[in-house]
């Protein structure tokens, strides 16, 4: 979890690949109206996010029920959002924390994504950093971040 530009997708894909797990980007489940708002620089409200969070919650519950290990990248900026997604003890949260200047630079360099640099300020204002979850600074390489996540949770690759 984290604000846009923190590297959730990059780190999540690498982690999933190393572990042999599925990767899912939560952004893919936003309803079109949410995407349009964000594309136009309009911050989402809690009401906008509620159906999206319920969709992600249902997906997580399904993965756990099916025994499918999955890495989900999503912003989950507020504690109440993370509480919604915390459907079972198997759900672990990693907060990718970044310096505002670094995040802004990353977003300015990114193209073809609906979440633009204009939205960073509103995301940082909404952010409630987790108190009890793993926090990793994103000024390290994706490989270093993945290594830290794997070490912290003692994650081993799924057998073939």
């Amino acid at each position: 979890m984290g604000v846009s530009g923190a590297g959730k997708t990059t780190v999540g894909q690498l982690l999933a690949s190393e572990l042999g797990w599925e990767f899912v980007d939560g952004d893919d489940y936003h309803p079109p109206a949410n995407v349009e708002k964000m594309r136009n620089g309009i911050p989402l409200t809690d009401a906008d996010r509620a159906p999206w969070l319920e969709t992600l919650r249902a997906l997580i519950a399904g993965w756990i029920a099916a025994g499918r290990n999955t890495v989900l990248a999503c912003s989950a900026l507020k504690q109440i959002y993370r509480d919604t997604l915390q459907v079972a003890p198997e759900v672990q949260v990693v907060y990718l924390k970044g310096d505002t200047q670094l995040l802004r630079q990353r977003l300015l360099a990114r193209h073809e994504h609906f979440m633009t640099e204009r939205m960073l300020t509103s995301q940082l204002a909404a952010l409630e950093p987790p108190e009890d979850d793993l926090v990793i600074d994103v000024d390290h390489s994706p490989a270093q971040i993945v290594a830290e996540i794997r070490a912290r949770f003692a994650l081993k690759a799924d057998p073939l």
Side-chain angles (χ1 to χ4, degrees), residues 2 6 17 33 35 45 52 63 67 72 76 81-82 84 109 124-125 132:
S17 175
V35 173
T45 65
W52 173 68
W63 298 327
L72 171 66
Y81 303 163
R82 294 186 294 277
T84 298
L124 290 169
D132 299 323

Side-chain angles (χ1 to χ4, degrees), residues 4 38-39 41 107 110 113-120:
S4 191
M38 290 183 283
R39 183 173 280 125
L107 291 172
R110 184 162 81 175
H113 194 278
F114 61 82
M115 183 60 86
T116 65
E117 180 268 337
R118 298 184 296 173
M119 297 294 295
L120 181 59

Side-chain angles (χ1 to χ4, degrees), residues 45-107:
T45 65
D46 288 349
D48 293 328
R49 287 188 179 95
W52 173 68
L53 288 165
E54 285 305 319
T55 297
L56 296 181
R57 179 183 173 84
L59 287 169
I60 293 167
W63 298 327
I64 291 171
R68 289 177 37 203
N69 291 323
T70 305
V71 175
L72 171 66
C74 74
S75 53
L77 297 175
K78 294 183 179 182
Q79 185 60 50
I80 193 166
Y81 303 163
R82 294 186 294 277
D83 291 345
T84 298
L85 301 177
Q86 189 66 49
V87 300
E90 293 90 340
V91 176
Q92 299 293 325
V93 174
V94 176
Y95 169 36
L96 298 179
K97 178 182 180 180
D99 170 79
T100 303
Q101 183 177 351
L102 173 62
L103 296 168
R104 193 170 310 281
Q105 288 172 346
R106 287 180 176 186
L107 291 172

Side-chain angles (χ1 to χ4, degrees), residues 118-153:
R118 298 184 296 173
M119 297 294 295
L120 181 59
T121 300
S122 67
Q123 282 204 324
L124 290 169
L127 177 65
E128 296 172 2
E131 295 179 13
D132 299 323
D133 297 309
L134 177 58
V135 178
I136 299 179
D137 198 301
V138 298
D139 65 351
H140 302 358
S141 73
Q144 290 171 311
I145 293 169
V146 166
E148 188 172 342
I149 293 168
R150 289 187 65 178
R152 168 69 186 271
F153 296 121

